[in-house]
Amino acid sequence: MQYGFFDDTNREYVINSPKTPFPWINYLGNKDFFGLISNTAGGYTFYKDAKFRRLTRYRYNNVPIDTGGRYYYLKDEETIWNPGFKPSQTKLDHYECRHGLGYTRFLSQKNGVSSNLLCFIPLDYMGEVHLLKLQNDSNKIKKIKLFSFAEWCLWNAEDDMANFQRNLSTGEVEVEGSTIYHKTEYKERRNHFAFFSANVKIDGFDTDRESFIGMHNGFNNPEVVENGNSKNSIAHGWSPIASHYIEIELQPGEEKDFVFILAYVENEKDDKWSSKAVINKSKAYKMMEQFDSSKKVLAAFEELQNYWSKLLDTFQLESNEPKLNRMVNIWNQYQCMVTFNMSRSASFFESGIGRGMGFRDSNQDLIGFVHQVPELAKERILDIAATQFEDGGCYHQYQPLTKMGNHALGGDFNDDPLWLILSVTSYIKETGDFGILDEQVPFDNDESKAKSLFHHLHVSFYHVVNNLGPNQLPLIGRADWNDCLNLNCFSENPNESFQTTGNKKGNTAESLMIAGLFVVYGKEYVKLCNQIGKGEDAKTAQIHIDKMIEAVKSKGWDGEWYLRAYDYFGNKVGSNENEEGKIFIESQGWCTMAEIGADEGMPEKALNSVKKMLDTPYGIVLNNPAFTEYRIEYGEISTYPAGYKENAGIFCHNNPWIIIGETLLGRGDQAWDYFKKICPAYLEEISELHKVEPYIYCQMIAGKDAHKPGEGKNSWLTGTAAWNYYTITQYILGIQPDYNGLRIDPCIPSNWKEFKVIRKFRNATYNINIYNPNGNCKGINSLSINGIEITGNLIPVHPEGNYQIDVHM
Amino acid sequence: MQYGFFDDTNREYVINSPKTPFPWINYLGNKDFFGLISNTAGGYTFYKDAKFRRLTRYRYNNVPIDTGGRYYYLKDEETIWNPGFKPSQTKLDHYECRHGLGYTRFLSQKNGVSSNLLCFIPLDYMGEVHLLKLQNDSNKIKKIKLFSFAEWCLWNAEDDMANFQRNLSTGEVEVEGSTIYHKTEYKERRNHFAFFSANVKIDGFDTDRESFIGMHNGFNNPEVVENGNSKNSIAHGWSPIASHYIEIELQPGEEKDFVFILAYVENEKDDKWSSKAVINKSKAYKMMEQFDSSKKVLAAFEELQNYWSKLLDTFQLESNEPKLNRMVNIWNQYQCMVTFNMSRSASFFESGIGRGMGFRDSNQDLIGFVHQVPELAKERILDIAATQFEDGGCYHQYQPLTKMGNHALGGDFNDDPLWLILSVTSYIKETGDFGILDEQVPFDNDESKAKSLFHHLHVSFYHVVNNLGPNQLPLIGRADWNDCLNLNCFSENPNESFQTTGNKKGNTAESLMIAGLFVVYGKEYVKLCNQIGKGEDAKTAQIHIDKMIEAVKSKGWDGEWYLRAYDYFGNKVGSNENEEGKIFIESQGWCTMAEIGADEGMPEKALNSVKKMLDTPYGIVLNNPAFTEYRIEYGEISTYPAGYKENAGIFCHNNPWIIIGETLLGRGDQAWDYFKKICPAYLEEISELHKVEPYIYCQMIAGKDAHKPGEGKNSWLTGTAAWNYYTITQYILGIQPDYNGLRIDPCIPSNWKEFKVIRKFRNATYNINIYNPNGNCKGINSLSINGIEITGNLIPVHPEGNYQIDVHM
């Protein structure tokens, strides 16, 4: 069942039933100021940090779900309705929510009045702009009462939902003209305020929630809207809100438009006041003037669209798979950029009050956006690397505001350092900017300990070498990529963390996933060293890699697949010997990508075992059989019900590792089959089961042991986006940036006859046509540039210009 | 305007309009298992710790407010209604919520069906019992569909409202017979589960919130109730709930009753399962059997009522002020017991996820319940004292579960130690148990550092002596009783705490409040020393007290009132020299209670200044004039809007200090006038303004500078309850437990002609009649025991028995 459709021309997903199986959301904003917006206009806004600088209040866990947002109530005679359907839930004659790139538009109609509400955050603007057009489609004069609504968060989102003994006494506002200012705590230590403005004269306002809604009413039936008249209330404590009241008369056929702005302003400490207790609003006035007409708003909207076009145009695919085209060209890239902006902070599954930026998350996410915003990717790399320790270990998380490592959590997640090699080499391959390696980057955020970024890579590599266990395999530390496989924790208390409790480092438990990862990025390190003339470094490193390969082959192979780990007691994890958790996906992916034991056929056997034991109609599960009871020596993984999350759920992040492995084996049909299973556009028709957005990857899909296999969860903020984008573009479509050019090495389904890619790379634009007349999966026969055939599959770096590339498989 | 009335006979407050200006709540439970219940059945339950062991989910900040609770939906033809009005808010033909002592009863009627829902937690029972009686008052057969509803919290209340990426995948339940078991995380580290049972065969059930309510419906219109049929859903993740479905047929006049139990069960670690993945339910079966009939339930209810009668009977007043009688005899004592149980953890203003037990809070609260539960008071004293340091300082808070001091917050609140003298002397005076002084009590929870409790008092006293500032007045440390007067903080960052940031100890800022407190409890210490034959200790202590008195007189007197403090820079706080905050209540209260400068008339002048500058129609404000801008050197106090909380709000906790001061001056009319202003029963008629419960003290009432002077906030969990009880009983009514007997020293309004008190003290019961034929305020002329006049005002300790006391003023 579908709840909407893709409008590829407009790069929009169009939801035409407001009652989606879960709120289907979008993100507004590109830098510093952000809004989350659902298909019923629910959600909230924040400045930079979703926890500490939240503008509007939002309640997760709410009933009905997704209640609270930026709302417009239209009272037309006795009918009250909202352009986004909620919160009144009045049945509309027409409803459309169009989620686009950085904007959302609601087109709706009720009783002869149509509404067009466009919400977006203009580039470099610290406010959400709402352009509301109302049109009288009837042949009678329409008198409409319009009420806007936003509820202020008292800035610190966590405190806002807990510290009532203080917060119910602190709320303060000002009203001037058609603008409502939220200034709680402005009189003390805050130098920032928010405002909600209208570009027309208003007929009333409310700023006190109880006055507007009524003590016993809900968002669905505010007292003021029911009564058709605002109370001009001024909030003193309790819950400050902002609501404008506008009386509108529309002649038959007439259209009127209104601009509302929900924005954030910072003043200098010494320039906070215009007079005693009155905010200095000069910056706010300028912001309002910037968008005081629909014309100005539409100009900024066009700018935003151009901005996104430019970002996405770096990679454009034309294949015979329209669903794939829209994912590659629009939605997957878009999700990668959202993930860049948000990391794991704020979604409808991440409450925005939790963790900082993950070291490993950020490095991996980068492979999804480095081609779109290489300069920001560089900045991110340098920020991340600065939280590393001198021995190559690193803080597992850091705070985006301060960019400092998170001391409470610390380090000892032993896969972390290797991901830095992935991000840095990806960046250089995309840009050719080897200069980044010479950047002086602090350790532990201490400038006095700065060394070159190359040195950071060096210690990353050797952090593994220096932390080997009894089988000469990498010690796992607190956990490797799978945060829930906690081999050194042993927690019995439900209020303890599985990652920070117990013998965190451990000197026994080893990870085969890190072993594979080490070989993959060790090879990258060697390649890089050779590239920059550090042949000796390369040679030494290669010795360690070879040793690791031997260790995996002798101690990490279970007969039909790679082991997952050795536990604290030296017992095998992910072995046929085990009753549950016989096989895990991560080590199959990484050891296959590392091609360990290729001569002995290990990768092929391993992937065949994946197919046999982990594959399902909805994707590849993480492990099998699922754990049915708590194993204290395995930790959190065994706490989840079978089939969910890391306990045999389809954890989408790691499916691409298997897909890449399949492409390395040349098995294009299998790779494509796996790819499609978790690709959201291919799941649109089972949305009632999949539940989450069909335009966006989710972190997890319920596995075969679950109650409802195929049910998705935790959409938007997941490394899945980057890994799938990386996999489809570089390993299936096979367009691979490399140090010295663009390599073309597709591995496709045998029934694909051709596809085209336009790829901007460094300064050139390549129009790449790939033909597959013989129904192959992999291997190219010829490659020509502007009609001239070259040897091999590497398009060298070209000067600015357009180039025609023809490839025959 | 009233929303109900007091039913003194039944010791109930009867709410007859469900739309109270704020949820008016009650507490169920007396030990370990508790429920908060509002006048519309909202609220939640927990075991021991409201943060870590929450049974049912609750959303603060909700709209409509107070949505979520233990609900019963009755579907009678097409009408859906709730016995407690919410959440359906269907207008009832009759509605009554009767909040009693440890129970709440809802009496309601709709369309010829009446419902009687009694909710309570039986003594020593770990579950809420709901007895629901339905009666057909019509002359037709009624077919009713009954749906119960409770929503499970995933145990850790804080995590439950934030960690969705995990929590939406973990929920697990079992259904067996008529019982729904909630077992999330039981399979791993938890050894506890919850259940919701019915004592009749059910016709269906639901355990998945989305199935029951529907994705887009609300608590007010669950899909299942609207459809009139349950779905027998089993929750797998998302939001587990419990709902029973029962079809009921009632003949005209027929009544049927149903028992529902919402309970908590712990199993031994090795006895968790009855078979693989199936909970061992034997304890649950026993608990259900305990209350499987209305007869058993009613027997337990009677026990509960007897329990409360026994507690309250320790002090019973009969005066010509019915409002006072009901406060003293019922509600003020009741609130003191609730505060004993809850400290500051869980109310409709305290979210239950915050702080631990306060050192100073707990010591002060004790004076409100020591006469009711002296044995528990003793236990509490020993727990508190064990968190003291060897130098007399102490942790400011400790965790009730572990009873360990809170390291994150630490100590250095320099008033803290003195309150221990208050609690211990109060305990001994009530019980005569001097043996408590010999109890060996650890310092810093370290048994090896245990010393006698008397030694703890000794170091408490000397902690002040050893921490004097430049004017020989007590250094304030992080703050004294007024947590918001932060003279050593200087915070500029809105995310910093005002108590834990900056130069916490300070060596300049001094507190006149601590000075007064020191003299008051220093004298108590001296009196105690003399009582137990430690005359030398007493003498030495007296020298320090005398010095302090001199320091206050020479450095702490501002001419018309006592200063409040010296700030970090040595400037006066609370002086006529200041533009704002010229005078503060706390130092007037304590220095007057200490009678400092009595010969010079200082107390009288100070209290006259209080009357002139701080008194308002709604109580005495904390300071005046209110602060209108942030003073970084004063801290949090200046962050509140003027008239709220510590910034010139009526902070009810400290009003009694002034009242006691007035009684010491013999000004009974003034004392009584102040007492009445904040006494909730006297505010019942202005409930629409006062907003919070008219049977319970609130922490704060908006002051004269506020938007709505008289508006109350933060009801239930406040030291106000204990201090007002202490003040009315011991200083106005003048019934004062003392080491060697009961002292009678009333200070009453001159127009009171007589009053009677029945006081159980140690083993005797005293029927005290106090006559005031001459219209005096203070001073007794004669006192007779069983007709025999004695000299003085001290009734010596008597053996068990009843004694008639006649007092003439």
Side-chain angles (χ1 to χ4, degrees), chain B residues 17 31 61 226 300 398 431-432 644 724:
Chain B
S17 162
K31 196 184 151 197
N61 247 347
E226 287 197 335
Y398 70 102
T431 60
Y644 292 96
N724 274 281

Side-chain angles (χ1 to χ4, degrees), chain A residues 130-351:
Chain A
H130 304 159
L131 174 60
L132 175 66
K133 294 186 189 181
L134 296 177
Q135 181 169 315
N136 183 354
D137 301 331
S138 79
N139 49 18
K140 292 184 216 156
I141 294 176
K142 281 278 184 183
K143 292 189 176 184
I144 306 288
K145 295 180 171 197
L146 169 65
F147 297 87
S148 71
F149 178 82
E151 183 177 10
W152 303 114
C153 178
L154 304 187
W155 303 115
N156 178 327
E158 190 172 36
D159 190 77
D160 184 64
M161 65 182 187
N163 189 13
F164 306 110
Q165 69 87 22
R166 171 176 163 88
N167 295 346
L168 295 178
S169 289
T170 55
E172 292 189 294
V173 298
E174 278 181 39
V175 180
E176 187 190 84
S178 299
T179 305
I180 293 154
Y181 296 86
H182 177 228
K183 62 170 185 179
T184 300
E185 292 189 348
Y186 185 74
K187 81 166 199 170
E188 37 136 332
R189 297 173 297 176
R190 297 191 183 276
N191 64 341
H192 50 87
F193 62 90
F195 68 82
F196 192 27
S197 67
N199 73 333
V200 295
K201 192 174 168 308
I202 58 175
D203 298 292
F205 62 85
D206 276 289
T207 70
D208 173 60
R209 193 182 79 205
E210 186 184 329
S211 302
F212 180 76
I213 291 185
M215 175 59 67
H216 301 278
N217 289 34
F219 290 113
N220 60 317
N221 61 346
E223 201 174 284
V224 154
V225 181
E226 287 197 334
N227 296 341
N229 210 342
S230 61
K231 294 182 185 164
N232 297 344
S233 59
I234 296 290
H236 296 271
W238 302 105
S239 295
I241 60 150
S243 171
H244 305 93
Y245 166 46
I246 302 170
E247 293 172 0
I248 302 166
E249 190 172 297
L250 292 172
Q251 301 299 318
E254 188 182 6
E255 182 191 275
K256 285 188 178 167
D257 58 46
F258 307 88
V259 181
F260 295 88
I261 300 173
L262 183 59
Y264 173 87
V265 181
E266 272 182 13
N267 278 334
E268 291 302 307
K269 198 182 161 188
D270 300 329
D271 202 21
K272 286 172 71 169
W273 306 102
S274 70
S275 62
K276 170 110 185 176
V278 177
I279 300 174
N280 173 357
K281 307 180 180 69
S282 51
K283 287 186 185 172
Y285 296 153
K286 276 191 198 148
M287 287 182 76
M288 288 180 235
E289 203 194 329
Q290 255 184 290
F291 297 111
D292 58 5
S293 71
S294 62
K295 197 179 151 191
K296 289 181 182 175
V297 172
L298 291 172
F301 181 57
E302 201 184 327
E303 262 191 80
L304 180 72
Q305 287 179 301
N306 293 339
Y307 166 83
W308 274 105
S309 286
K310 200 173 154 237
L311 287 186
L312 303 189
D313 283 353
T314 309
F315 197 113
Q316 287 292 306
L317 167 69
E318 193 185 322
S319 78
N320 293 322
E321 291 276 340
K323 292 177 184 175
L324 179 65
N325 296 344
R326 63 176 62 121
M327 287 309 299
V328 169
N329 298 337
I330 308 169
W331 297 101
N332 197 348
Q333 290 201 67
Y334 182 57
Q335 186 176 5
C336 287
M337 281 302 294
V338 169
T339 314
F340 164 70
N341 283 325
M342 298 285 134
S343 186
R344 303 297 177 269
S345 73
S347 76
F348 271 36
F349 294 92
E350 298 281 358
S351 58

Side-chain angles (χ1 to χ4, degrees), chain A residues 18-23 40 52-53 57 59-65 67 85-86 89 151 156 158 160-172 185 187-190 192 209-210 213-220 234 236-239 269 276-277 348-351 353 489 491-498 580 627-630 632 636 638-642 644-647 691-692 699-700 707-708 711-714, chain B residues 18-23 40 52-53 57 59-65 67 85-86 89 151 156 158 160-172 185 187-190 192 209-210 213-220 234 236-239 269 276-277 348-351 353 489 491-498 580 627-630 632 636 638-642 644-645 647 691-692 699-700 706-708 711-714:
Chain A
K19 294 194 172 184
T20 48
F22 202 73
T40 56
F52 288 113
R53 214 54 69 81
R57 185 174 279 170
R59 298 158 186 82
Y60 287 89
N61 246 346
N62 215 338
V63 176
I65 199 167
T67 304
F85 178 64
K86 283 187 180 175
Q89 298 203 34
E151 183 177 10
N156 178 327
E158 190 172 36
D160 184 64
M161 65 182 187
N163 189 13
F164 306 110
Q165 69 87 22
R166 171 176 163 88
N167 295 346
L168 295 178
S169 289
T170 55
E172 292 189 294
E185 292 189 348
K187 81 166 199 170
E188 37 136 332
R189 297 173 297 176
R190 297 191 183 276
H192 50 87
R209 193 182 79 205
E210 186 184 329
I213 291 185
M215 175 59 67
H216 301 278
N217 289 34
F219 290 113
N220 60 317
I234 296 290
H236 296 271
W238 302 105
S239 295
K269 198 182 161 188
K276 170 110 185 176
F348 271 36
F349 294 92
E350 298 281 358
S351 58
I353 61 166
C489 176
S491 170
E492 293 194 313
N493 175 345
N495 296 315
E496 284 173 353
S497 155
F498 285 103
E580 297 181 334
F627 296 104
T628 59
E629 35 188 62
Y630 183 47
I632 193 167
E636 188 172 4
S638 60
T639 70
Y640 283 106
Y644 293 95
K645 294 281 286 179
E646 282 86 346
N647 186 13
K691 203 165 177 132
V692 290
Q699 181 211 52
M700 193 271 294
H707 172 59
K708 269 194 203 170
E711 185 183 61
K713 275 198 190 108
N714 303 3
Chain B
K19 293 195 171 184
T20 48
F22 203 74
T40 56
F52 287 114
R53 212 55 68 82
R57 184 174 280 170
R59 298 158 185 83
Y60 287 88
N61 247 347
N62 215 339
V63 176
I65 200 168
T67 306
F85 178 64
K86 284 187 179 177
Q89 298 201 33
E151 184 177 10
N156 179 327
E158 190 172 36
D160 184 65
M161 66 182 187
N163 190 13
F164 306 110
Q165 69 87 25
R166 172 176 163 88
N167 295 347
L168 296 178
S169 289
T170 54
E172 291 188 295
E185 291 189 347
K187 82 167 197 167
E188 35 138 331
R189 298 173 296 176
R190 298 190 182 275
H192 51 86
R209 193 182 78 204
E210 188 184 329
I213 290 187
M215 176 58 68
H216 301 277
N217 290 34
F219 289 113
N220 58 318
I234 295 290
H236 297 271
W238 302 105
S239 296
K269 200 182 159 189
K276 170 111 183 173
F348 271 35
F349 294 92
E350 299 281 358
S351 57
I353 61 166
C489 175
S491 171
E492 293 193 312
N493 175 344
N495 296 315
E496 284 173 353
S497 154
F498 286 102
E580 296 180 337
F627 296 103
T628 59
E629 33 189 64
Y630 183 47
I632 192 168
E636 189 172 4
S638 60
T639 69
Y640 283 106
Y644 292 96
K645 294 281 287 180
N647 186 14
K691 204 166 175 128
V692 290
Q699 181 210 54
M700 194 271 294
H707 173 59
K708 268 194 204 170
E711 186 184 63
K713 275 196 190 107
N714 303 6

Side-chain angles (χ1 to χ4, degrees), chain B residues 182-200:
Chain B
H182 176 228
K183 62 170 184 178
T184 299
E185 291 189 347
Y186 184 75
K187 82 167 197 167
E188 35 138 331
R189 298 173 296 176
R190 298 190 182 275
N191 64 341
H192 51 86
F193 62 89
F195 68 81
F196 192 27
S197 67
N199 73 333
V200 296

Side-chain angles (χ1 to χ4, degrees), chain B residues 425-641:
Chain B
T425 54
S426 295
Y427 168 78
I428 299 174
K429 288 174 180 176
E430 181 66 36
T431 60
D433 174 18
F434 285 95
I436 193 175
L437 295 171
D438 301 324
E439 293 274 351
Q440 295 296 301
V441 183
F443 283 104
D444 198 4
N445 298 107
D446 179 346
E447 288 290 348
S448 75
K449 294 182 187 165
K451 292 248 167 107
S452 75
L453 181 63
F454 177 77
H455 183 74
H456 281 258
L457 299 187
H458 179 81
V459 295
S460 291
F461 179 86
Y462 282 98
H463 189 263
V464 175
V465 175
N466 296 332
N467 286 280
L468 297 177
N471 296 303
Q472 298 304 303
L473 294 165
L475 289 170
I476 195 166
R478 297 188 189 200
D480 62 24
W481 171 86
N482 187 339
D483 271 328
C484 294
L485 184 63
N486 314 111
L487 302 182
N488 294 306
C489 175
F490 295 84
S491 171
E492 293 193 312
N493 175 344
N495 296 315
E496 284 173 353
S497 154
F498 286 102
Q499 280 88 44
T500 61
T501 306
N503 168 25
K504 298 153 202 167
K505 290 195 176 202
N507 49 25
T508 328
E510 299 166 303
S511 162
L512 266 299
M513 180 194 151
I514 302 183
L517 197 68
F518 174 76
V519 174
V520 171
Y521 295 118
K523 287 179 187 171
E524 283 293 342
Y525 176 71
V526 166
K527 190 174 162 190
L528 178 68
C529 287
N530 284 325
Q531 192 73 32
I532 58 174
K534 291 186 186 281
E536 280 308 309
D537 279 356
K539 259 189 224 163
T540 317
Q542 189 60 49
I543 293 168
H544 292 294
I545 295 167
D546 292 341
K547 278 189 193 165
M548 185 66 77
I549 291 170
E550 284 315 305
V552 173
K553 284 164 70 174
S554 67
K555 299 288 188 173
W557 180 249
D558 196 53
E560 297 294 323
W561 57 78
Y562 303 100
L563 293 175
R564 175 64 176 87
Y566 283 93
D567 73 14
Y568 183 84
F569 305 104
N571 296 323
K572 292 175 183 172
V573 179
S575 159
N576 201 28
E577 291 173 9
N578 300 112
E579 280 189 33
E580 296 180 337
K582 283 175 181 290
I583 175 171
F584 284 72
I585 194 172
E586 302 99 327
S587 45
Q588 313 320 316
W590 284 102
C591 292
T592 299
M593 285 160 76
E595 301 181 301
I596 295 172
D599 294 344
E600 295 86 347
M602 287 178 184
E604 197 171 349
K605 275 191 195 168
L607 292 193
N608 290 345
S609 298
V610 166
K611 174 82 185 152
K612 189 174 149 199
M613 298 177 68
L614 299 179
D615 186 29
T616 83
Y618 302 106
I620 308 164
V621 300
L622 193 145
N623 57 298
N624 187 59
F627 296 103
T628 59
E629 33 189 64
Y630 183 47
R631 297 190 67 121
I632 192 168
E633 75 277 22
Y634 284 14
E636 189 172 4
I637 191 169
S638 60
T639 69
Y640 283 106

Side-chain angles (χ1 to χ4, degrees), chain A residues 533-594:
Chain A
K534 291 185 185 282
E536 281 307 310
D537 278 357
K539 258 188 224 164
T540 318
Q542 189 60 49
I543 294 166
H544 293 294
I545 295 167
D546 292 342
K547 278 189 192 163
M548 186 66 78
I549 290 170
E550 285 315 306
V552 172
K553 284 164 69 174
S554 67
K555 299 288 188 174
W557 181 249
D558 196 56
E560 296 293 325
W561 56 79
Y562 303 100
L563 294 175
R564 177 62 179 90
Y566 284 93
D567 72 15
Y568 183 84
F569 305 103
N571 295 323
K572 292 176 185 173
V573 180
S575 159
N576 201 28
E577 292 174 8
N578 301 110
E579 280 191 33
E580 297 181 334
K582 285 175 179 290
I583 175 171
F584 285 72
I585 194 173
E586 303 99 326
S587 46
Q588 312 319 317
W590 284 101
C591 293
T592 299
M593 286 159 77

